[in-house]
């Protein structure tokens, strides 16, 4: 777990070192750029590419982005920004059964929310793998024609058995030696819909005895009758991701293809494929290179797309944007901010070694940013009435509270004081515990931004529960007036006028899981869910908060940081979500 508290300096990670070396050696100086990749113009001779480097962020549109993706977004877009390059926003949409326009829209929204775009000097760098399907098909035929691919008629189970193990070599398919003419004919029949789903598959011909299982004739095209969100019903065969991805990188003239470590074993196929297509005259050198970094492993969350889908589909949460989920859509509703993500990714750095980052590190980054950016407001979350018995019943008095203690230029706001106030229930104790310096019988306390008051007693219901607290104020002790400090008190409590308060729904969000590693071992990860991950209360807020707009963030004094809910807030009636407490409540 990282405990570093300052951002790492530029140039301190291994990927930046690679980029620096490539630029110094002019590794990609001969690249040409001639328009949108995949179209006819791209195959013609173009002008030199003025971008020093090209990176890409290539999500599959089969779910919502999560916190782990933020690390990749800041890395890829950040490298392009820092090196006067370009980062492509590309959708790897090669699996139509699991993809949808909803996911495409949510991904673009999240990337923009984090502060990145794909327009560069009039050049749009938004791409879809599906726009290259024609080229990918030609590439597959080129592999067949050059003896590097064949159509296999084995069943999925037969292929699995013959693939071998980590210690045993695989066995050649009985269909591996089909002639080029036979393979071309069958592949074209696959394209034309003459074969059923799963009956035939196109495989690259590499080495079934390779110690790297990913080189044992990996599949590159399968028959799949499915409607595609972008190409409709044009195709009934679709390329495999491992085949499509390197081709996309090459067509887009990507220089540094940055992936997470689980793709390290795929790199030899990435290089093999691009070299074969270059030999066939379909691609030109210099070819892209793939580099891997450690993905984000964060405690108290699940980042598995399969598990996130399960949580959503089984309605364990309210949807992809549930504020308890680690999705970027959920994080935005929760009140986490883009600047906090930037601080977090800087703090944890980029390395080749897998490690676990404690969730408190992420929360600390959000606290640091929100402490600087969020204006202060008063909210009473567990209200009980306080009556100032010697204060005139109909009198309203202005008190003045700073909008931000660190930013005096933001000025002050008016908080109305009246005879009856809401205070926190925990701020009164009839029999005080040791070290309790708030309201107690005959004790003195200051109403924050107001007067010093003396508690005179309380009222109780039939069950003995305190329902009303009584006090009297000391007239010459109002904050900000001469002589206000003449009476010294140890306690200071916040309050809201009952006459002016905004009664509001507030959602107190906490971690979705109670265990640091949900589902560790053989446990069902659902059994590790935190039953107290959300509590909905009715709170009393200062009247200024009634005008808050969706996504406005504030520090509720003493309680934490809160945001007006993006989805459920309406004009004049915001609903607030707790983003994070002022201190880590999970420390052990």
């Amino acid at each position: 777990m990282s405990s570093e508290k300052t951002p790492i300096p530029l140039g301190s990670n291994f990927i930046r070192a690679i980029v620096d070396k490539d630029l110094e050696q002019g590794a990609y100086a001969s690249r040409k750029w001639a328009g949108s990749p995949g179209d006819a113009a791209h195959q013609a001779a173009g002008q030199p590419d003025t971008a020093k480097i090209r990176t890409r962020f290539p999500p599959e549109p089969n779910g919502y982005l999560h916190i782990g993706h933020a690390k990749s977004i800041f890395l890829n877009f950040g490298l392009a920004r820092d090196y006067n390059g370009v980062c492509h926003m590309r959708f790897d949409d090669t699996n139509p059964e699991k993809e949808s326009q909803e996911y495409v829209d949510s991904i673009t929204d999240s990337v923009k929310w984090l502060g990145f775009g794909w327009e560069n000097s009039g050049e749009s760098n938004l791409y879809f793998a599906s726009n290259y399907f024609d080229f990918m098909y030609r590439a597959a035929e080129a592999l067949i024609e050059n003896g590097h691919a064949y159509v296999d008629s084995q069943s999925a189970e037969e292929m699995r058995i013959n693939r071998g193990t980590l210690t045993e070599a695989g066995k050649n398919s009985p269909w591996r030696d089909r002639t080029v003419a036979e393979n071309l004919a069958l592949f074209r029949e696959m394209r034309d819909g003459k074969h059923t789903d799963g009956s035939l598959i196109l495989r690259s011909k590499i080495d079934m005895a390779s110690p790297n299982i990913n080189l044992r004739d990996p599949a590159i095209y399968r028959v799949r009758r499915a409607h595609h969100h972008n190409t409709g019903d044009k195709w009934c065969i679709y390329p495999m991701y491992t085949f499509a991805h390197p081709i996309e990188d090459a067509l887009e003239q990507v220089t540094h293809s940055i992936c997470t470590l689980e793709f390290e074993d795929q790199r030899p196929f990435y290089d093999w494929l691009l070299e074969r297509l270059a030999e066939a005259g379909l691609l030109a050198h210099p070819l892209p290179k793939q580099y891997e970094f450690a993905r984000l492993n964060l405690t108290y969350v699940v980042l598995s797309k399969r598990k996130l889908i399960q949580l959503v589909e089984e309605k364990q949460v309210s949807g992809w944007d549930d504020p308890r989920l680690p999705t970027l859509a959920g994080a935005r509703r929760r009140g986490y901010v883009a600047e906090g993500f930037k601080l977090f990714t800087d703090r944890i750095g980029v390395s080749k070694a897998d490690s676990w980052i404690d969730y408190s590190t992420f929360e600390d980054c959000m606290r640091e940013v929100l402490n600087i950016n969020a204006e202060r407001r008063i909210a009473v979350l567990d209200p009980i009435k306080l009556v100032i018995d010697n204060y005139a019943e109909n009198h309203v008095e202005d008190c003045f509270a700073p909008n931000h203690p660190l930013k005096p230029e933001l000025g002050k706001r008016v908080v109305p004081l009246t005879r009856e106030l809401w205070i926190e229930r925990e701020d009164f104790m009839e029999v005080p515990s040791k070290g309790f310096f708030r309201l107690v019988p005959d004790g003195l306390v200051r109403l924050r931004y107001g007067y010093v008051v003396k508690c005179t007693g309380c009222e109780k219901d039939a069950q003995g529960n305190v329902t009303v607290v009584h006090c009297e104020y000391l007239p010459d002790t109002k904050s900000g007036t001469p002589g206000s400090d003449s009476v010294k008190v140890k306690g200071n409590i916040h309050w809201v006028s009952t006459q002016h308060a905004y009664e509001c729904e507030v959602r107190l969000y906490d971690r979705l899981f109670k265990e640091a590693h949900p589902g560790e071992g053989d446990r069902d990860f659902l059994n590790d869910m935190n039953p107290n991950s959300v509590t909905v209360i009715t709170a009393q807020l200062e009247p200024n908060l009634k005008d808050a707009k969706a996504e406005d963030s504030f520090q509720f004094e003493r309680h934490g940081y809160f945001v007006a809910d993006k989805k459920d807030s309406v004009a004049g009636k915001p609903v607030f979500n707790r983003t994070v407490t002022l201190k880590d409540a999970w420390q052990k």
Side-chain angles (χ1 to χ4, degrees):
M1 182 185 72
S2 172
S3 59
E4 195 176 357
K5 288 297 182 181
T6 56
I8 59 172
L10 295 181
S12 65
N13 70 65
F14 75 99
I15 292 178
R16 289 183 181 274
I18 291 169
V19 173
D20 288 337
K21 183 178 179 181
D22 287 343
L23 291 176
E24 181 181 348
Q25 296 178 348
Y28 295 96
S30 62
R31 286 175 300 135
K32 303 290 185 179
W33 187 254
S36 298
D39 62 19
H42 183 68
Q43 304 308 317
Q47 298 298 315
D49 190 350
T50 58
K52 288 186 177 181
I53 65 170
R54 286 185 183 268
T55 59
R56 82 292 171 272
F57 175 62
E60 297 177 68
N62 59 358
Y64 280 52
L65 298 183
H66 55 61
I67 295 174
H69 292 112
K71 180 178 179 179
S72 181
I73 291 169
F74 277 102
L75 176 58
N76 282 287
F77 281 94
L79 282 170
R81 175 199 60 211
D82 296 339
Y83 285 94
N84 193 27
V86 173
C87 182
H88 294 189
M89 179 70 215
R90 182 214 299 152
F91 290 95
D92 270 323
D93 53 347
T94 59
N95 191 358
E97 290 179 313
K98 296 183 179 180
E99 298 163 355
S100 73
Q101 189 62 40
E102 175 192 354
Y103 296 142
V104 171
D105 293 341
S106 73
I107 289 170
T108 56
D109 286 347
S110 291
V111 174
K112 288 180 179 178
W113 173 64
L114 288 178
F116 298 105
W118 34 88
E119 300 294 330
N120 187 69
S121 301
E123 173 191 331
S124 176
N125 295 291
L126 176 62
Y127 304 115
F128 290 84
S130 53
N131 289 341
Y132 313 143
F133 280 174
D134 288 323
F135 181 91
M136 291 177 188
Y137 178 82
R138 294 200 304 275
E141 285 206 347
L143 291 178
I144 294 173
E145 291 166 351
N146 288 282
H148 298 308
Y150 63 97
V151 175
D152 198 345
S153 299
Q154 291 184 101
S155 67
E157 178 63 15
E158 289 171 329
M159 287 179 61
R160 186 191 66 77
I161 293 173
N162 290 332
R163 192 184 188 197
T165 67
L166 292 174
T167 56
E168 296 180 357
K171 298 178 181 178
N172 286 350
S173 165
W175 312 103
R176 198 173 192 265
D177 295 324
R178 278 175 164 151
T179 66
V180 169
E182 287 176 310
N183 285 316
L184 278 176
L186 285 171
F187 188 50
R188 289 167 181 170
E189 288 177 4
M190 290 167 61
R191 175 199 63 191
D192 296 337
K194 295 181 179 180
H195 296 277
T196 58
D197 289 10
S199 59
L200 295 177
I201 195 162
L202 182 67
R203 300 176 70 180
S204 53
K205 185 187 289 187
I206 307 180
D207 182 6
M208 288 301 293
S210 172
N212 184 341
I213 290 182
N214 296 292
L215 293 179
R216 295 180 187 176
D217 294 4
I220 57 178
Y221 256 99
R222 77 280 199 197
V223 181
R224 186 67 52 84
R225 287 169 175 79
H227 181 81
H228 192 283
H229 75 97
N230 190 26
T231 60
D233 298 315
K234 177 180 178 180
W235 297 91
C236 64
I237 57 171
Y238 290 96
M240 306 298 286
Y241 174 82
T242 51
F243 173 76
H245 186 85
I247 291 175
E248 297 155 26
D249 285 347
L251 289 177
E252 294 176 16
Q253 301 286 11
V254 166
T255 59
H256 300 81
S257 182
I258 304 167
C259 306
T260 46
L261 279 176
E262 62 262 36
F263 293 99
E264 187 173 29
D265 290 341
Q266 293 287 355
R267 186 177 358 118
F269 177 69
Y270 182 104
D271 294 337
W272 178 91
L273 175 62
L274 294 185
E275 288 294 345
R276 300 295 81 74
L277 296 180
E279 292 169 359
L282 292 180
L283 299 175
H285 288 87
L287 297 168
K289 294 293 183 181
Q290 177 179 300
Y291 305 95
E292 305 86 20
F293 69 98
R295 67 184 298 172
L296 175 63
N297 297 307
L298 197 61
T299 60
Y300 293 99
V301 302
V302 294
L303 297 179
S304 158
K305 194 170 290 184
R306 176 184 60 81
K307 291 180 179 178
L308 292 175
I309 290 173
Q310 184 179 347
L311 287 169
V312 173
E313 292 184 347
E314 294 183 3
K315 300 188 184 305
Q316 302 287 347
V317 292
S318 62
W320 282 103
D321 64 349
D322 188 301
R324 295 168 295 174
L325 280 184
T327 58
L328 295 184
R332 184 175 180 178
R333 268 190 83 185
R334 177 77 170 256
Y336 295 143
V337 291
E339 297 94 328
F341 278 99
K342 174 63 167 64
L343 178 60
F344 177 62
T345 55
D346 283 346
R347 185 160 291 169
I348 63 176
V350 179
S351 73
K352 292 279 287 187
D354 271 324
S355 61
W356 283 93
I357 306 298
D358 195 89
Y359 196 76
S360 61
T361 302
F362 175 73
E363 291 181 316
D364 283 344
C365 291
M366 292 299 164
R367 287 188 187 98
E368 286 187 37
V369 172
L370 289 168
N371 181 55
I372 296 171
N373 295 340
E375 291 192 8
R376 276 42 170 177
R377 294 294 185 268
I378 302 170
V380 179
L381 304 187
D382 185 15
I384 188 173
K385 186 175 291 186
L386 174 70
V387 178
I388 309 174
D389 293 316
N390 63 336
Y391 199 86
E393 284 198 31
N394 298 318
H395 185 58
V396 179
E397 186 171 356
D398 291 344
C399 294
F400 299 92
N403 287 314
H404 199 302
L406 303 178
K407 298 180 179 181
E409 67 275 13
L410 295 179
K412 296 184 177 183
R413 67 192 187 280
V414 172
V415 181
L417 176 71
T418 56
R419 185 173 188 268
E420 294 188 356
L421 308 174
W422 294 116
I423 64 169
E424 294 290 351
R425 187 175 301 275
E426 67 177 18
D427 283 347
F428 172 76
M429 291 187 71
E430 191 174 15
V431 181
S433 58
K434 184 178 180 180
F436 185 82
F437 298 118
R438 282 164 274 175
L439 278 172
V440 299
D442 296 323
L444 296 174
V445 71
R446 178 173 292 280
L447 299 178
R448 191 162 170 82
Y449 314 120
Y451 294 95
V452 172
V453 297
K454 180 179 181 180
C455 181
T456 58
C458 63
E459 299 177 26
K460 298 180 182 180
D461 61 17
Q463 288 73 43
N465 300 309
V466 176
T467 56
V468 180
V469 179
H470 289 269
C471 70
E472 294 180 350
Y473 82 107
L474 281 59
D476 296 327
T477 60
K478 185 179 180 182
S479 295
T481 64
S484 60
D485 294 333
S486 59
V487 178
K488 303 295 183 181
V489 296
K490 293 183 177 181
N492 197 314
I493 66 172
H494 66 266
W495 51 271
V496 176
S497 162
T498 60
Q499 180 181 336
H500 299 87
Y502 168 50
E503 187 172 274
C504 175
E505 178 181 315
V506 174
R507 299 152 182 177
L508 303 178
Y509 287 107
D510 204 344
R511 299 179 185 181
L512 184 58
F513 293 95
K514 63 188 178 192
E515 298 294 333
H517 302 284
E520 189 174 41
D522 296 328
R523 292 198 313 268
D524 183 344
F525 79 104
L526 295 179
N527 292 335
D528 291 336
M529 293 184 71
N530 176 13
N532 301 313
S533 61
V534 60
T535 303
V536 181
I537 63 173
T538 300
Q540 301 291 339
L541 280 52
E542 69 168 83
N544 297 294
L545 286 168
K546 189 173 184 179
D547 297 324
K549 299 178 178 61
E551 296 194 273
D552 282 351
S553 288
F554 303 93
Q555 183 195 102
F556 288 180
E557 296 181 8
R558 287 177 52 191
H559 294 303
Y561 297 96
F562 291 73
V563 66
D565 187 83
K566 180 175 182 284
K567 178 183 287 187
D568 297 331
S569 294
V570 297
K573 194 176 181 181
V575 173
F576 283 92
N577 301 329
R578 183 172 66 190
T579 305
V580 63
T581 55
L582 291 178
K583 296 181 180 180
D584 183 8
W586 287 73
Q587 289 182 348
K588 296 180 180 179

